[in-house]
Amino acid sequence: MAMIPRLAVLALLAAGAGCSSSGDATSPPDEVRYAYVLMGPDGVAVARAITSAATCPAISFDGGARVQMRVHAAAATIPTRPTAYDDIYNPGPAVFPVTTCDATVPARARSATIGARSLPMPKPVVQRLLVLGDTGCRMKAKLAPAHGDYQACDDPTAWPFQAISDVAASFAPDLVVHVGDFHYRETPCPAGSPCAGVMNYGFGWASWEPDFFAPAEALLAAAPWIMIRGDHEICDRGGQGWWRFLDPRSPAPGQDCNVAADDMIGNYSEPYLVPLDEDTVAVVLDTGAVSDGPFDPTSAESIIYGWQVQEAFYRAARWNHSLVLVHQPILAYNSGGSSSTKGTCDAGNGELQGVLDGLYGNLLFPSAVDAVLSGHLHMTQFTSFHESLPPTFVLGNGGTKLTAACTGDTPTTPYSGGTLAQPLSTTQWSDWGFATMERTASGWTATLYDQNGGVLTACAVVGRTLACMK
């Protein structure tokens, strides 16, 4: 089978350029605000630091010589670009007064330090994944201000992401997976709203730091991360921060979301693989820009996603088992237009179902896929099917304003080619929390925890069957 065209084809759809260069000096370690490790293509780990200095700090691996990190993104004030909220307010320039720095982690490195900070190192065999998603504090205006969607960001009982992060860090995971939607402080809060008085909003560092980095600091220090892009990180929303802070790769020309004319490049990135051991691989798909509408095989979006899933599964074919990591639910219920108030949920993403159905038939995924991990819907939901479809875990309950349980006009199945093996009423939880995926001799055990670390349920994943305790 020939290799599928890669991201380079998108350069035909838009044009642009961007680059950065590193300085010669090193910044003092105490100017480093955050340091963490991202898992990138082929399992190559990247140490990343965010510093208030203009130059990057030095890093040492296994106690060796200190080596200056390279500049991934220099501090910048980026001119205002069109956003999803232009009809409501003008967010102004995106201000990033911090320098983002990178260093490739050598294979088999056992330790890394930046000044007094120790960074978590990848493990050759991942036994315990910790999974969470949709973590930010909801600040989303609508044309009618009274109908906006707001959360009390200064109230840890109303926005518990930091508590969740701290508890999750105590579980000592081998690897953390965030299934997308990090950035939620998009618009100002009107008087009388739950977040009235919160001034950190918009698309620059002033919102990214309190929405993700500050509350996630303990969990960032606990293990390397795989970051999945959500719809809140597309170019006309939080895309600039996504490329500066969270994607493990350097952006291709025009991919940094700074210029709206380049969004057809900036909204897409190639899939990549992170081996979990010699037998199992994580398949990372960027579906942040996917439509919620029906499948249109002629759309540029569908063609791009078709290339990407073919390439991803072609590359993953050498492993016997795989986990698919994607933001949008495909074989689980999705967020409906009024789901947060009425409990109405939609079927899984129609565009991705159509793309996969055209490639793999009504089983949608290659036989090596054991399970799909996703977010987007602000609750937890486990789905499995009488047919041989991979079970799906929706884990969008990491702190963002919760979605009501799916009831009412919710379809009887999230995918027309499958019949649910368990009633939906028994496999959904509208509670904040996180999950772990732990290896067993026969597959995986998925355990769902509430925000305090209490067990809500545990499910054995064997083959493509899902057996959950009551």
Side-chain angles (χ1 to χ4, degrees):
M1 178 177 178
M3 290 298 290
I4 307 301
R6 300 187 179 187
L7 180 65
V9 299
L10 298 179
L12 300 175
L13 303 175
C19 61
S20 61
S21 59
S22 62
D24 294 328
T26 58
S27 64
D30 59 2
E31 294 185 330
V32 174
R33 306 280 287 275
Y34 302 96
Y36 47 103
V37 174
L38 302 174
M39 300 304 298
D42 303 316
V44 175
V46 175
R48 185 160 287 174
I50 299 173
T51 177
S52 57
T55 53
C56 288
I59 189 168
S60 172
F61 295 103
D62 294 329
R66 296 169 69 244
V67 179
Q68 186 181 357
M69 301 177 78
R70 59 185 176 269
V71 173
H72 174 76
T77 296
I78 303 166
T80 305
R81 52 147 296 148
T83 75
Y85 299 99
D86 283 354
D87 292 338
I88 300 170
Y89 91 113
N90 183 341
V95 180
F96 294 98
V98 291
T99 303
T100 307
C101 305
D102 276 352
T104 301
V105 177
R108 302 182 183 86
R110 295 187 177 184
S111 67
T113 55
I114 300 174
R117 294 172 182 263
S118 295
L119 277 66
M121 290 289 96
K123 294 185 177 179
V125 175
V126 174
Q127 294 285 356
R128 175 184 287 175
L129 294 168
L130 190 141
V131 191
L132 76 171
D134 297 84
T135 51
C137 183
R138 188 77 154 177
M139 293 168 58
K140 181 180 181 180
K142 297 183 180 179
L143 287 174
H147 296 101
D149 211 357
Y150 307 105
Q151 222 170 332
C153 304
D154 294 334
D155 181 352
T157 63
W159 181 53
F161 176 37
Q162 178 161 348
I164 291 169
S165 170
D166 292 347
V167 170
S170 72
F171 277 57
D174 297 332
L175 182 65
V176 176
V177 175
H178 192 301
V179 289
D181 283 1
F182 305 78
H183 180 276
Y184 277 84
R185 300 186 187 215
E186 298 177 290
T187 66
C189 291
S193 67
C195 54
V198 174
M199 300 306 295
N200 297 328
Y201 58 84
F203 300 101
W205 178 244
S207 60
W208 270 98
E209 183 176 27
D211 218 23
F212 178 68
F213 287 99
E217 189 166 16
L219 193 52
L220 286 168
W225 286 53
I226 296 177
M227 306 290 194
I228 309 300
R229 190 183 195 178
D231 56 296
H232 280 245
E233 290 79 52
I234 62 174
C235 281
D236 66 354
R237 300 178 83 176
Q240 292 163 316
W242 166 260
W243 286 110
R244 297 179 76 87
F245 303 130
L246 301 184
D247 195 285
R249 301 160 289 193
S250 295
Q255 204 175 34
D256 54 17
C257 294
N258 290 342
V259 179
D262 294 334
D263 283 359
M264 200 61 190
I265 294 176
N267 276 336
Y268 301 93
S269 61
E270 290 189 37
Y272 63 92
L273 308 180
V274 178
L276 304 181
D277 63 15
E278 293 183 353
D279 196 51
T280 306
V281 69
V283 179
V284 179
L285 298 176
D286 174 2
T287 63
V290 72
S291 168
D292 284 328
F295 176 53
D296 176 3
T298 66
S299 72
E301 186 177 275
S302 292
I303 292 169
I304 290 166
Y305 286 125
W307 291 336
Q308 291 184 347
V309 296
Q310 286 184 79
E311 182 167 354
F313 293 128
Y314 174 76
R315 294 178 185 178
R318 61 175 286 255
W319 282 271
N320 294 320
H321 297 277
S322 59
L323 298 176
V324 172
L325 313 181
V326 61
H327 178 65
Q328 286 272 359
I330 302 172
L331 286 172
Y333 289 100
N334 211 328
S335 56
S338 58
S339 61
S340 64
T341 56
K342 297 182 180 179
T344 301
C345 297
D346 295 337
N349 186 271
E351 182 163 333
L352 295 174
Q353 287 182 359
V355 164
L356 290 161
D357 182 68
L359 299 172
Y360 298 103
N362 61 4
L363 295 183
L364 294 194
F365 293 91
S367 59
V369 175
D370 292 336
V372 181
L373 309 182
S374 61
H376 194 57
L377 185 64
H378 300 167
M379 60 181 297
T380 306
Q381 184 190 117
F382 297 172
T383 54
S384 63
F385 301 84
H386 289 297
E387 297 77 12
S388 186
L389 291 155
T392 292
F393 301 90
V394 177
L395 298 159
N397 62 328
T400 297
K401 186 176 180 181
L402 292 169
T403 300
C406 300
T407 58
D409 298 327
T410 296
T412 55
T413 177
Y415 170 54
S416 61
T419 307
L420 287 175
Q422 295 95 6
L424 179 60
S425 60
T426 67
T427 57
Q428 60 176 343
W429 297 264
S430 188
D431 299 275
W432 282 306
F434 59 95
T436 58
M437 296 281 292
E438 297 189 70
R439 292 180 182 276
T440 66
S442 55
W444 297 87
T445 294
T447 306
L448 173 63
Y449 299 90
D450 65 23
Q451 65 189 76
N452 300 312
V455 175
L456 295 174
T457 192
C459 302
V461 183
V462 181
R464 287 187 163 180
T465 65
L466 189 65
C468 299
M469 70 179 193
K470 302 300 182 182

